[in-house]
Amino acid sequence: MSGYVMSGRDDRNSSARIAVVGFSCRVAGARGPEEFWQLLKEGRSGVGEFPAARRTGREAGLSDLPGGYLEGVDRFDADFFEVSPAEAAAMDPQQRLALELGWEAVENAGTSPDALRGTRVGVFVGAINDDYAALLHRGGPDAVTRHSLTGTQRSFIANRISYGLGLRGPSVVVDTGQSSSLVAVHLGVQSLLRGESDAVLAGGVNLILSEHSTNSLKRFEALSPDGRCYTFDARANGYARGEGGGFVLLKPLDQAVADGDRVLAVIEGTAVNNDGGGDGLTVPSATAQRDLLLDACAAAGISPADVQCVELHGTGTKVGDPLEAAAVGQALGTARPDGKPVVVGSVKTNIGHLEAAAGIAGLLKVISCVSHREFVPSLNHETGNPRIPLAEWNLKVQSEHETWQGENGRLVAGVSSFGLGGTNCHVIVTDPPSVRRDGHAAGAPAEPMAPGRALPWLVSARGEAALREQAERLDTYASRHPEADVHAVGRTLAAGRARFEHRAVVVGEDGAGLRAGLQALATGGGAAHLVRG
């Protein structure tokens, strides 16, 4: 597409800046980006008791602690992804979740997954746990089938996405411990900057399928007995485990602008290092973390004094939290003027510690805050940890939902993720530059539809039931967003979605007319201006 120009807000080469053009997520209490934002904005927690349906057959004596658990991890629409029932049964549910989230991230970007087939799109996935393989081998040699190898090797979590979507860029699973998914983003960014990939899907997944992985962490004394993350709070006593995952679809900023993509946020720079020694293999290094933050700022071409908030690794541990606070304070907080502290928080207080997917969860929180220009509360912070002198380090734990004013018209945030073995990653994120199209500011309301002019909304699915569900979801979206540009929705439905066998189109002159057709389709009824085929 043409007709786009960027404002000259800064002089940095846009080819060195990476645009986030779409994302997906599934975490405790939220099945997608919109529900995730509502969870964050309302300051709700998705942490709860271990699902009763999963207790059957589990070994006695291994307690199931509260955490951020997903529902229905055993369910998968194999037909949709053209996977045989036997192969689907052998697939690690982390593979299934990654495949679903990869598809959803592409659709969230307003792109049909079919349009990416055969292109140089890279896939970088953080994953660390092999619970499903452990459960399989518990059944002995006879439990192994011809699909077990591809179903349980972690490399296939990325390879399955590349195969299913026909993507020909790099396809890599990353394991750096709890920093895996943010390191996956870092590697994806580097692949784009080298010209190795034209676009990248990057993220991570984490599911808790065996009681033994929880027991190992419990014996390591990493887990909170009451299943809460008390980040920077005096009650810090370990972390709550969490399930879920997320992906971002990334492009070079100049290419995203040229393609007319909606840019949610910009990744300005990334950095990775390791603690490289210290008081113990699993003891964090404040010095290494400080250097990491400074390296990320240098890679982004941003002064440490300009970073306004940091999404912490923030597990809520007695040792880790004070060291991280010192690192953020030394690198960023003390560089800022008095009265303008670095705002800090942790999404782990909402959804638990997603381990391999923790970094992508933090990044998605920041992307959401940047795109809405709002801060959201970090939970479970009542009394400050006496070992964290917030005022001295010029830090402030964000406890309320409020507008993010920015500085000099710009929002700048950092995201941290640290692996238990000392591999650390930090990403610098800013709001996108203002983009104009044909003389109108991006995001400006479209001109009203001419009276009497019909507009089609196309819907398709693999089956009739799925078609009705698509209509219901679209109607729900339209009801929640009456201000939505019906033209833009129509364009996305026509050009930004895969086309399946079961199809329908609703035609209307305004949102009300279009919704009437969607409601009829969702209930299996008939209506004027509704056509099925």
Side-chain angles (χ1 to χ4, degrees), residues 381-432:
H381 188 265
E382 295 177 0
T383 304
N385 188 325
R387 297 178 60 197
I388 300 177
L390 292 173
E392 178 182 336
W393 293 127
N394 201 21
L395 307 177
K396 171 195 170 185
V397 177
Q398 182 66 25
S399 59
E400 298 178 354
H401 169 233
E402 59 186 0
T403 301
W404 186 355
Q405 300 290 351
E407 295 170 3
N408 300 317
R410 192 179 199 191
L411 310 183
V412 182
V415 184
S416 289
S417 192
F418 308 142
L420 190 60
T423 298
N424 310 311
C425 184
H426 193 78
V427 174
I428 299 292
V429 180
T430 67
D431 55 326

Side-chain angles (χ1 to χ4, degrees), residues 24-368:
S24 62
C25 64
R26 199 169 309 165
V27 297
R31 289 189 56 82
E34 188 167 351
E35 290 185 12
F36 183 53
W37 174 244
Q38 292 300 318
L39 180 83
L40 295 174
K41 184 172 71 171
E42 295 168 9
R44 290 187 283 111
S45 171
V47 173
E49 296 300 315
F50 187 83
R54 296 204 220 170
R55 295 185 186 278
T56 304
R58 294 170 70 83
E59 293 183 14
L62 299 178
S63 60
D64 297 317
L65 296 171
Y69 300 105
L70 298 184
E71 296 180 359
V73 296
D74 57 328
R75 297 197 290 269
F76 176 63
D77 190 348
D79 288 342
F80 180 86
F81 291 104
E82 300 180 327
V83 176
S84 72
E87 189 171 11
M91 286 169 63
D92 184 337
Q94 292 183 131
Q95 273 192 39
R96 306 177 203 165
L97 178 61
L99 192 54
E100 292 167 348
L101 290 171
W103 181 284
E104 291 168 10
V106 174
E107 282 201 333
N108 182 261
T111 300
S112 168
D114 292 341
L116 300 183
R117 191 165 295 278
T119 63
R120 297 194 315 157
V121 177
V123 179
F124 297 84
V125 185
I128 64 176
N129 291 322
D130 293 314
D131 286 12
Y132 199 66
L135 292 176
L136 170 71
H137 292 298
R138 189 185 296 177
D142 292 340
V144 178
T145 72
R146 64 183 299 267
H147 297 297
S148 296
L149 178 69
T150 57
T152 57
Q153 277 197 358
R154 269 182 288 165
S155 60
F156 283 94
I157 298 176
N159 299 162
R160 184 77 66 174
I161 297 173
S162 299
Y163 174 78
L165 299 184
L167 310 179
R168 294 187 176 174
S171 187
V172 180
V173 167
V174 179
D175 182 354
T176 59
Q178 293 72 14
S179 59
S180 295
S181 59
L182 204 62
V183 173
V185 172
H186 165 80
L187 294 175
V189 166
Q190 297 305 310
S191 184
L192 289 169
L193 294 177
R194 289 195 303 270
E196 179 182 67
S197 299
D198 297 326
V200 157
L201 273 170
V205 289
N206 192 63
L207 292 176
I208 305 165
L209 305 175
S210 166
E211 63 268 34
H212 293 290
S213 59
T214 296
N215 193 48
S216 294
L217 289 163
K218 186 179 178 182
R219 295 293 178 91
F220 186 71
E221 299 181 350
L223 300 183
S224 167
D226 54 3
R228 296 291 185 274
C229 292
Y230 297 106
T231 302
F232 280 22
D233 191 86
R235 296 169 291 171
N237 60 358
Y239 74 80
R241 299 191 77 188
E243 293 183 314
F247 280 82
V248 287
L249 181 60
L250 307 176
K251 278 184 173 183
L253 178 59
D254 53 359
Q255 188 61 54
V257 172
D259 292 343
D261 293 318
R262 174 191 59 166
V263 179
L264 300 171
V266 175
I267 294 177
E268 300 281 357
T270 67
V272 171
N273 73 3
N274 191 274
D275 291 341
D279 294 336
L281 174 63
T282 61
V283 178
S285 165
T287 300
Q289 291 177 16
R290 179 201 64 198
D291 292 346
L292 174 80
L293 300 179
L294 296 175
D295 288 346
C297 289
I302 286 175
S303 167
D306 292 333
V307 179
Q308 300 149 29
C309 82
V310 170
E311 172 64 15
L312 302 166
H313 182 64
T315 52
T317 56
K318 294 179 180 179
V319 174
D321 279 11
L323 292 174
E324 183 173 12
V328 176
Q330 292 169 11
L332 308 176
T334 55
R336 290 179 57 77
D338 292 340
K340 291 188 175 181
V342 176
V343 171
V344 297
S346 173
V347 74
K348 294 176 180 65
T349 62
N350 300 90
I351 60 176
H353 186 349
L354 269 59
E355 297 167 352
I360 191 67
L363 178 61
L364 295 184
K365 173 185 170 182
V366 166
I367 291 169
S368 298

Side-chain angles (χ1 to χ4, degrees), residues 446-468:
E447 295 180 5
M449 193 187 308
R453 184 176 178 183
L455 173 74
W457 278 7
L458 283 65
V459 187
S460 73
R462 295 278 194 197
E464 282 294 331
L467 186 68
R468 291 194 296 272

